[in-house]
Amino acid sequence: MISTRKKIVLQTGVMAAAIFFGSTTNAAELKQADTEKDASKEKPKIEKLTVLGHAARIAPATVPLDITQPTSKIQSGFLANNIIPLASVDDIIQFQPSVFSQNPNGPGMGKAETMSLRGFQDGQYNMTFDGIPFGNASDMGHTTSSLFISHFLGEAQIDRGPGTASTIGNATFGGTMGFTSKNPAARMGTTLYGTYGSFNTRAGGIEFDTGKTRMGRAFIDMQHEETNGYLTNSSERRSNLMFKDVIDLAPETTLTIETTYNKEWQYTTQGATLDDYKKYGKNYGLCNDPSKQCYYGYQPSVYTSDFDYISLKTKLLSWLTLENQIYTSGFEHDYSESTDASQGDTAANGVTFYNAAGKKVATYKNDIPGKYADAAYRTYGDTLRLKGHTSYGDILLGVWADVQKDRRYTYAIDLSQNSVPVLGKNGSAYSYDISDLNTTIQPYLELNFHPWAGATIKPGVKYSIFKRDYDAGINKGTKLPLKDTQSYGSWQPSIAINQRIMKNWSAYAQVARGFLAPPLSVFQVSSVGNVKPETTMNYQVGSVYHGRNWMLSLDGYYINFSNYIASAQIQVPNIGTTSTYVNSGGAVYRGIELEGQYVIGYGFSLYGNYSVNDAKYKHSNVRVAKSPNALASFGLLYESEHGPYFSIMGKYAGTHWGLDSTTDDADNTVFKNQYKIGSTVTADLAMGWRIHHIGSFFSNVTPSIKIANLFNNRAISDFAGNQSYGDAPLFWRIAGRSVFFNMTATMP
């Protein structure tokens, strides 16, 4: 037991250190501290507070010393100071090393049209929520605006490597973006928060914490947001809800129940031509003319998602712990759209009707062609983790099992005639009608041992099994029925080492094999055959140093990618330009990443990262599309114990190419770079003031302002595809400057 006098001395010491080093604690951090204090039944632990330790909490990322792969942690302090509550995950990660993301409709508004890690595109890296992997059934991708918002999160961790054997997921070779939900507070309270700003954006939310009760510590957090969006006629409405309850069943047993629900409604844009930007402005998205396909009223989309789990963590024996998570998640995209939402030429209009026998019956030249589509999946899964502690080290044993039921279909409609279905030459209005069942099983074994002083070695192996049962009444591409099953399996050995050179200096190295099953699109051909999965060999080394007032991390990586399945643009008769997937043979990803922080003093600190990322197809100079050759972030941050804080953060994205493959005159796929996108620089400014104890009604009030794209750079930022009529290239631009006023108030 620690005596009362000693407790007072220790707590006073920590408070004095916090004041001396310019520490301040926001409402979220106070709640987190209370939670950890009340939840723990062990002896109190006093964390040593250093100048760097405080500055790291408010920086875009911090790098731990014990890592075995390049890792950046985004802590609650940075989320609270710099990210508006309604922000999506693409805003949260944008300043991380080797991350390229942009949202053309404004921060937190609509989905990110571009999000990559080291040049790997969405679907080629792993994404987890509270340690549970999730992703779209078709290509393992994610619709960012349909996920959780920043106000629901406690922290995030970006692992730019394949992880060890215990890292579960379908695409771990490209890295893992891991998001952790915040914990309920130990004390009862209500927090109100809201945002008002550019593009007629209005958002408000309320969080209620129960405090410690017989039913555990729980909270419910609800938010609603409406905005016109930066792009013309691209408005959005979104509602988000999260409930979490943490129940201490016994001193060594915790049960967690969590559920989230998200619903978003928006008008979906498809990019714009350079001529349209010149004619209508740099914020052109959709038009206001019902006689054209670009009319916004033809493009409504609804995204609905949920994520639910029950987690049990317990100590079975003095040396053995168990964690089991049973979960389900769902996603649905229900929408209609014109054949080409970017098309403003009435010559592209026209709808032809056929009868059930395939005979033409009527043509309406001025009608608007379109489609209705619905894509929905439901996932059920379980993660089981066992950890045994021995005198030689730790043994990690577990398995991830996941079953995903997927249904998607689309049929042609005439938007000018109340969206009536339009039968085609095959006698059906359906372009495709597909059901598939995807099964993943990943058992793993990993050892964490310390063979000599300062060393941690983690050898391990997991085996990935992925099975896709495909059943198409009308297959996309062929328009014929197809029923097929493909199974893929692969051993994924790995070994990693961390050597502590000095108390505050470490080095690490890692070798791992990666695996990714082919996307759904490989079934959409006349003969599937035996499609090989994608595989990688990942090699990386790095080092981390923590000084009293500075931190530096450096790493290099080399990834040999075999059987790379790349996106390509092709011409389809009677349809126009569309996307497909081709086997590119292989690619090599390599690069160097540097990340650092320096504490100036008096609450000021500097942060920066720089990465050189090279991704090319083997035996050629063709760069992988959408992979910038360099990325950097840089900024100045300040926080005072008296309440004020601010930061100015910049982001640099180097040049990249929109496409890496095309078709020649004989309709053969050839690899060639097209549509070069120049480098861009943007800056964000955030400032606020935490005011404590406003009378007896509010315990904390924080007014703040966030200015995104401070210098209003609206340059072309990415390629968006080609128009289906005329084949003109489409592009995205950086969303213009936006100003958001935020207010958070906590009532005890």
Side-chain angles (χ1 to χ4, degrees):
M1 293 289 293
I2 299 178
S3 69
T4 303
R5 181 178 179 182
K6 286 184 178 180
K7 286 183 181 178
I8 295 173
V9 171
L10 288 171
Q11 292 170 356
T12 304
V14 171
M15 292 173 62
I19 294 173
F20 180 80
F21 292 130
S23 175
T24 185
T25 306
N26 60 29
E29 290 170 332
L30 283 170
K31 290 161 61 179
Q32 180 75 9
D34 289 339
T35 300
E36 293 173 353
K37 178 181 176 182
D38 285 18
S40 174
K41 301 297 183 181
E42 300 175 357
K43 292 183 179 180
K45 296 180 180 178
I46 303 301
E47 179 183 359
K48 184 180 179 182
L49 187 62
T50 66
V51 174
L52 183 62
H54 167 70
R57 292 203 301 271
I58 65 170
T62 182
V63 184
L65 284 165
D66 60 353
I67 58 176
T68 55
Q69 64 179 344
T71 299
S72 298
K73 283 189 175 182
I74 310 170
Q75 299 184 83
S76 59
F78 180 78
L79 295 177
N81 287 8
N82 299 273
I83 307 299
I84 58 179
L86 61 86
S88 302
V89 297
D90 50 294
D91 294 319
I92 295 169
I93 65 171
Q94 64 174 318
F95 296 115
Q96 304 310 299
S98 292
V99 169
F100 176 47
S101 72
Q102 57 94 29
N103 189 327
N105 204 29
M109 300 165 197
K111 62 180 179 179
E113 298 295 344
T114 301
M115 194 165 68
S116 68
L117 178 61
R118 285 181 169 178
F120 289 115
Q121 305 304 306
D122 187 22
Q124 294 180 315
Y125 51 76
N126 198 28
M127 192 174 282
T128 64
F129 184 61
D130 283 349
I132 300 172
F134 65 95
N136 190 302
S138 63
D139 59 3
M140 312 306 171
H142 310 84
T143 304
T144 58
S145 58
S146 68
L147 306 179
F148 29 81
I149 58 173
S150 65
H151 200 262
F152 293 174
L153 301 179
E155 65 175 32
Q157 180 168 309
I158 311 301
D159 297 327
R160 301 186 303 277
T164 57
S166 60
T167 305
I168 56 176
N170 278 314
T172 57
F173 65 87
T176 295
M177 296 185 182
F179 301 92
T180 304
S181 61
K182 61 186 177 184
N183 285 322
R187 299 174 183 173
M188 180 183 294
T190 302
T191 300
L192 304 174
Y193 58 95
T195 297
Y196 178 79
S198 297
F199 324 134
N200 195 27
T201 300
R202 301 90 66 201
I206 181 171
E207 176 188 343
F208 174 70
D209 284 271
T210 65
K212 194 172 183 179
T213 70
R214 292 182 178 179
M215 299 302 294
R217 302 179 313 278
F219 74 79
I220 185 169
D221 194 343
M222 298 175 287
Q223 185 259 179
H224 180 73
E225 165 241 327
E226 295 187 10
T227 180
N228 291 346
Y230 169 70
L231 299 174
T232 58
N233 301 304
S234 302
S235 60
E236 177 202 61
R237 297 194 304 267
R238 182 170 59 170
S239 297
N240 308 86
L241 180 146
M242 180 175 179
F243 170 80
K244 185 175 183 179
D245 190 9
V246 179
I247 307 168
D248 296 322
L249 300 178
E252 300 290 350
T253 303
T254 301
L255 180 70
T256 301
I257 302 170
E258 182 171 287
T259 183
T260 69
Y261 177 80
N262 311 283
K263 187 168 186 176
E264 177 191 22
W265 179 93
Q266 65 176 207
Y267 291 120
T268 304
T269 58
Q270 302 295 335
T273 65
L274 294 178
D275 286 343
D276 283 340
Y277 281 132
K278 185 177 181 180
K279 186 183 301 184
Y280 303 115
K282 294 180 178 179
N283 68 328
Y284 177 71
L286 296 169
C287 70
N288 195 24
D289 186 348
S291 69
K292 299 177 180 179
Q293 291 191 44
C294 58
Y295 177 55
Y296 74 93
Y298 298 143
Q299 328 298 333
S301 279
V302 179
Y303 297 92
T304 307
S305 68
D306 66 89
F307 200 105
D308 319 280
Y309 72 81
I310 298 175
S311 173
L312 177 68
K313 189 172 184 178
T314 185
K315 181 173 284 189
L316 299 175
L317 300 169
S318 61
W319 56 272
L320 181 63
T321 60
L322 175 147
E323 182 176 6
N324 188 229
Q325 294 171 299
I326 300 174
Y327 67 90
T328 180
S329 65
F331 172 86
E332 182 174 14
H333 183 196
D334 176 20
Y335 65 104
S336 63
E337 63 182 13
S338 59
T339 298
D340 190 339
S342 69
Q343 187 58 254
D345 189 348
T346 56
N349 294 348
V351 176
T352 299
F353 287 81
Y354 296 82
N355 60 23
K359 183 179 179 180
K360 183 190 296 186
V361 295
T363 297
Y364 301 92
K365 292 183 178 180
N366 295 322
D367 282 11
I368 305 296
K371 70 176 182 180
Y372 170 78
D374 185 82
Y377 68 78
R378 169 64 57 183
T379 294
Y380 304 90
D382 184 272
T383 68
L384 174 64
R385 299 177 174 94
L386 292 166
K387 182 177 180 180
H389 181 72
T390 73
S391 58
Y392 300 99
D394 296 332
I395 302 173
L396 281 68
L397 178 67
V399 62
W400 170 48
D402 183 276
V403 176
Q404 190 174 84
K405 297 180 178 180
D406 178 45
R407 172 74 193 283
R408 55 192 64 221
Y409 61 89
T410 181
Y411 55 83
I413 57 177
D414 187 332
L415 291 163
S416 301
Q417 299 187 31
N418 296 319
S419 297
V420 61
V422 178
L423 272 63
K425 292 180 180 180
N426 63 345
S428 172
Y430 282 85
S431 298
Y432 58 83
D433 186 358
I434 300 168
S435 296
D436 65 306
L437 179 68
N438 308 297
T439 305
T440 301
I441 301 176
Q442 278 187 5
Y444 66 83
L445 173 64
E446 179 181 318
L447 306 178
N448 296 345
F449 64 97
H450 314 283
W452 57 81
T456 300
I457 299 180
K458 298 182 178 182
V461 64
K462 66 182 172 186
Y463 188 77
S464 293
I465 301 170
F466 184 87
K467 180 184 178 184
R468 193 189 293 273
D469 293 297
Y470 188 86
D471 187 0
I474 300 176
N475 199 14
K476 185 178 181 180
T478 65
K479 312 302 181 188
L480 299 173
L482 175 65
K483 191 170 185 178
D484 198 354
T485 297
Q486 294 281 336
S487 297
Y488 312 94
S490 176
W491 289 100
Q492 295 172 254
S494 66
I495 186 169
I497 181 172
N498 178 287
Q499 176 65 55
R500 192 65 65 92
I501 301 171
M502 298 171 57
K503 183 178 180 181
N504 56 348
W505 182 19
S506 67
Y508 59 88
Q510 182 185 45
V511 179
R513 187 174 188 267
F515 161 83
L516 178 62
L520 185 75
S521 59
V522 302
F523 288 84
Q524 296 160 0
V525 295
S526 57
S527 178
V528 178
N530 185 18
V531 182
K532 294 181 179 179
E534 300 174 281
T535 59
T536 66
M537 283 300 300
N538 298 56
Y539 309 87
Q540 46 195 2
V541 296
S543 185
V544 184
Y545 183 86
H546 286 193
R548 183 179 181 276
N549 61 347
W550 61 282
M551 179 275 294
L552 188 66
S553 172
L554 176 66
D555 71 85
Y557 66 91
Y558 180 92
I559 304 171
N560 187 343
F561 205 128
S562 301
N563 198 43
Y564 189 98
I565 298 177
S567 176
Q569 298 283 302
I570 62 170
Q571 283 287 336
V572 179
N574 301 319
I575 296 178
T577 302
T578 187
S579 296
T580 187
Y581 289 85
V582 296
N583 191 331
S584 66
V588 172
Y589 288 70
R590 57 188 176 182
I592 297 175
E593 299 163 324
L594 177 67
E595 185 173 11
Q597 186 176 10
Y598 179 75
V599 181
I600 301 172
Y602 303 100
F604 289 92
S605 62
L606 296 171
Y607 171 85
N609 63 62
Y610 180 76
S611 61
V612 178
N613 307 105
D614 182 64
K616 291 181 180 178
Y617 291 109
K618 292 180 180 179
H619 314 299
S620 75
N621 289 319
V622 178
R623 289 186 56 84
V624 175
K626 301 180 181 295
S627 58
N629 60 357
L631 292 161
S633 298
F634 40 89
L636 173 68
L637 303 101
Y638 170 79
E639 189 174 70
S640 166
E641 76 273 12
H642 300 296
Y645 64 86
F646 84 85
S647 69
I648 182 166
M649 292 294 306
K651 181 72 178 187
Y652 166 81
T655 60
H656 66 280
W657 294 92
L659 275 182
D660 52 27
S661 58
T662 185
T663 53
D664 59 18
D665 294 338
D667 289 333
N668 296 315
T669 301
V670 293
F671 285 86
K672 177 183 177 182
N673 282 130
Q674 298 180 84
Y675 309 121
K676 187 175 183 179
I677 309 298
S679 60
T680 59
V681 179
T682 57
D684 289 4
L685 175 68
M687 61 180 68
W689 197 299
R690 293 190 182 88
I691 307 169
H692 302 294
H693 308 298
I694 308 299
S696 59
F697 195 68
F698 291 108
S699 58
N700 293 283
V701 175
T702 305
S704 63
I705 184 172
K706 169 68 179 290
I707 304 177
N709 194 5
L710 180 63
F711 302 109
N712 201 30
N713 181 357
R714 297 182 292 168
I716 296 291
S717 59
D718 206 2
F719 174 69
N722 293 89
Q723 288 187 321
S724 59
Y725 177 86
D727 202 33
L730 302 170
F731 298 94
W732 298 114
R733 286 185 179 272
I734 300 172
R737 181 191 299 115
S738 57
V739 182
F740 299 101
F741 299 92
N742 309 287
M743 179 71 75
T744 300
T746 302
M747 295 181 287

